[in-house]
Amino acid sequence: MGMQIGGSQDDESLNSTINTTPLVDVMLVLLIIFLITIPVVTTSVKVKLPLEPNAPQEAKPENIILSFNQKGELFFYDSPIKNSEDLKDKLRRARDAAKRADKPQPEVHIRGDMNSVYEPMGRAILAIQEIGLTKVSFVTDPTPP
């Protein structure tokens, strides 16, 4: 293809053809590799995975942040809460402040330690419901383990 045999020595013409044989060999090897590996990658057990939006939420000033440490102690932002009546009082004040400013109802973000006891969280959610706040969300860590 790209080689001339015979001819005169004086005829030193430039050979401008491309030898495509190695290119075709490489492409065929890649094709075979892809044909073998694609079925292995695509076959798996058919399951319906839960959809979890991974959009980061902004901590707005009107959001109420409740935190639970590993012992189950409740914190309103950074201040500790002694009992559910104290929590209800703080939630009422935040709700009423939003009403007076003609702002929408504040969201309650619950940040619980992974190893925390669930009973205090349940009592806090009950207090939130009794006050009449309806926007409650649990804050999770979006980074994989």
Side-chain angles (χ1 to χ4, degrees), residues 34 38-39 48 106 110 138:
F34 286 132
I38 286 177
K48 185 174 182 178
I110 298 177
F138 290 92

Side-chain angles (χ1 to χ4, degrees), residues 30-73:
L30 288 174
L31 179 66
I32 290 171
I33 289 172
F34 286 132
L35 288 175
I36 291 172
T37 58
I38 286 177
V40 173
V41 173
T42 58
T43 57
S44 64
V45 177
K46 302 293 183 196
V47 293
K48 185 174 182 178
L49 298 175
L51 301 175
E52 177 65 31
N54 197 8
Q57 291 190 355
E58 296 177 17
K60 301 175 185 172
E62 59 267 12
N63 291 346
I64 299 169
I65 298 175
L66 298 180
S67 301
F68 292 89
N69 64 7
Q70 191 171 4
K71 297 176 187 174
E73 298 170 337

Side-chain angles (χ1 to χ4, degrees), residues 8-42:
S8 65
Q9 294 293 340
D10 295 336
D11 186 22
E12 292 190 22
S13 64
L14 186 62
N15 184 4
S16 63
T17 60
I18 297 175
N19 190 358
T20 58
T21 304
L23 179 64
V24 171
D25 290 342
V26 169
M27 294 306 290
L28 285 174
V29 169
L30 288 174
L31 179 66
I32 290 171
I33 289 172
F34 286 132
L35 288 175
I36 291 172
T37 58
I38 286 177
V40 173
V41 173
T42 58

Side-chain angles (χ1 to χ4, degrees), residues 38-120:
I38 286 177
V40 173
V41 173
T42 58
T43 57
S44 64
V45 177
K46 302 293 183 196
V47 293
K48 185 174 182 178
L49 298 175
L51 301 175
E52 177 65 31
N54 197 8
Q57 291 190 355
E58 296 177 17
K60 301 175 185 172
E62 59 267 12
N63 291 346
I64 299 169
I65 298 175
L66 298 180
S67 301
F68 292 89
N69 64 7
Q70 191 171 4
K71 297 176 187 174
E73 298 170 337
L74 172 61
F75 295 88
F76 188 87
Y77 294 102
D78 291 331
S79 62
I81 300 293
K82 297 177 182 99
N83 55 27
S84 62
E85 290 304 317
D86 189 22
L87 175 63
K88 288 179 185 178
D89 183 46
K90 289 186 185 269
L91 291 173
R92 266 190 216 102
R93 279 191 260 151
R95 180 196 62 194
D96 294 342
K99 278 185 183 178
R100 283 191 301 272
D102 289 330
K103 292 185 177 181
Q105 188 182 74
E107 295 180 22
V108 180
H109 292 187
I110 298 177
R111 299 178 65 241
D113 189 278
M114 184 171 29
N115 299 319
S116 178
V117 182
Y118 293 120
E119 183 181 352

